[in-house]
Amino acid sequence: MRSGIPEGATEADDRAGVGAAGVDTAGVDPADVDTAAPEAGQGRGAEACPTCGEPVPVDPRFVTWCAACDWNVDPVDGDTGPDPEPDRVERLRRAMAHRYGEQLFADLAREPDPGSGAPPRPGAAGVLATVLALAVHGLTLVVAFLGLWFLIAGWGEGAQPVIGVLLLGLAVLLRPRFGRLDERAELPLLERADAPRLFGLLDEIAAAVGTRGVDAVVLDADVNAGVVTYGLRRRRVLVLGMGLWAVLTPQERVALLGHEFGHYAHGDTRHSLLVGSALNSLTTWLYMLEPSPGRSLLDGFSNLLTALPRWGVYGLVLLLDQATLRASQRSEYLADGAAARIAGRDAAVGMMERLLAASSAETALGREVVAARTRSGGPARRGAPAGRRDEAADGLWERVATEVRRVPAHEYERLRRAGELRGHCVDATHPPTHLRIRHVARAGRPKPGLELGRERAAAVEAELAKPGLTVARLLLRDGAA
């Protein structure tokens, strides 16, 4: 087992997905799918709804709301309120994501097997994305060529060599980045020899969805998971958040892995070598052209000077988004369908439902960090004695899982309804989550294609025990891992 994390890699999935269930679709109502938390706690009392008078459960840990009339289903105060208001560009991207998500949901509903569609043909949008990506990389080459020309042709003639060096430095900053594995990171990095049972499971799930497995697995503390590729050889890494893995049942873990490998199987243009590296380059451009927050005359002049290229880059980002969004969202739907086929409908919907309670897992992790620091006398310093902090790491993931299992069914239902009201999605590249969970409910099969038995699940868990403990210790030491 080594330590490492992919740097600057092309992400095939930013997040497994956060869902909000919907109404009956194609004869399957997501509400009928068994996704209740295994040990969900019950309400601690009841009071009358101020709007309709119906009794509503009261639990001081969660929002009080009415299932009969939706009173207070999406409060606007505190952390439970609506998503933060995005900036102008992000609003445009989310609007496109919502529009395409609804169109694709309707299109997939008309397919005979909505969960196993083929990767889309490139079409005009794919050709446009390729042309734009080549233009982005071509501009970097032009900058590099001009830098060489000024440096060589203008050598010894005033400021021309200096301009050449500056242009070459700019070209280096704007160059395509293919990612690399940072082995200096302390996060556990597992290879096949470290966890043969885990990799055997990953290979089997990957083969079932029509792709190959990963070359390495990196563990962190996030309530999240994703697959990334890095390097010219496009090596694959599964980044597995222990904060998510711990709260899932064994079969829901199969659904999570099926979703992640589904991205590779269904060809997302946005994460190809050419287009993905172009998007990464545009992100670097935006960072370099970010307006200065200062109020001096020099800052104002600098912001004015960079305004035109900055908006040009914004336009390129939106155009490339427009050209790749439909294919990316189709890949997302098909990845969800792959999870439902492999793990079974109940497990796939259950996995997405657990993600609705991600904030409960994050809160539990935060409490663990605060409690560990309180017992040990404050934040740790690297090299300081571990002491009680290491003791607190033992059983941390089990305690977090217990907290999530105590989330009552009525809180899951509130989160589903609130998500649908907001048109919530994970980010601007994902379809609306309530449509994703409807798609999973109709695309999946009641019986799993691959069932993770108790003994095999325990063997995989045993391989993750030691690296998982390392992640817990890093979390308690640094407050993040």
Side-chain angles (χ1 to χ4, degrees), residues 53 79 97 101 117 133 168-169 187 210 242 248 283 317 321 350 381 384:
D79 295 335
L168 286 174
L187 293 173
M242 291 300 297
L248 299 178
T283 301
V317 170
D321 266 345
R381 296 184 303 275

Side-chain angles (χ1 to χ4, degrees), residues 115-120 209-211 258-259 261-269 327 330-338 341:
S116 59
V209 300
T211 187
H259 173 95
F261 284 116
H263 281 282
Y264 287 130
H266 295 110
D268 187 349
T269 307
R330 182 181 176 86
S331 173
E332 194 69 38
Y333 276 128
L334 295 180
D336 291 336
R341 290 197 316 276

Side-chain angles (χ1 to χ4, degrees), residues 282-318:
L282 287 174
T283 301
T284 304
W285 294 8
L286 286 177
Y287 175 78
M288 294 180 61
L289 295 171
E290 186 74 19
S292 172
R295 298 182 179 181
S296 68
L297 185 61
L298 182 60
D299 289 329
F301 177 74
S302 174
N303 292 340
L304 183 64
L305 194 64
T306 59
L308 187 60
R310 180 168 62 250
W311 283 103
V313 174
Y314 277 142
L316 271 176
V317 170
L318 290 176

Side-chain angles (χ1 to χ4, degrees), residues 387-400:
R388 296 180 180 177
R389 188 171 286 104
D390 281 355
E391 296 176 8
D394 293 329
L396 182 145
W397 305 118
E398 290 79 3
R399 294 194 295 273
V400 171

Side-chain angles (χ1 to χ4, degrees), residues 93-105 108 263 268 270 324-336 425 427-432 436:
R93 298 176 75 183
R94 290 191 182 187
M96 289 192 298
H98 192 84
R99 182 173 69 252
Y100 282 139
E102 292 181 335
Q103 292 173 356
L104 276 171
F105 178 78
L108 288 170
H263 281 282
D268 187 349
R270 191 185 295 262
T324 60
L325 186 57
R326 186 175 178 87
S328 180
Q329 291 201 338
R330 182 181 176 86
S331 173
E332 194 69 38
Y333 276 128
L334 295 180
D336 291 336
C425 53
D427 55 34
T429 66
H430 285 67
R436 291 179 60 196

Side-chain angles (χ1 to χ4, degrees), residues 74-109:
D74 191 18
V76 297
D77 59 311
D79 295 335
T80 59
D83 298 332
E85 184 69 17
D87 59 30
R88 182 182 305 175
V89 173
E90 187 67 11
R91 284 198 301 271
L92 289 172
R93 298 176 75 183
R94 290 191 182 187
M96 289 192 298
H98 192 84
R99 182 173 69 252
Y100 282 139
E102 292 181 335
Q103 292 173 356
L104 276 171
F105 178 78
D107 292 344
L108 288 170

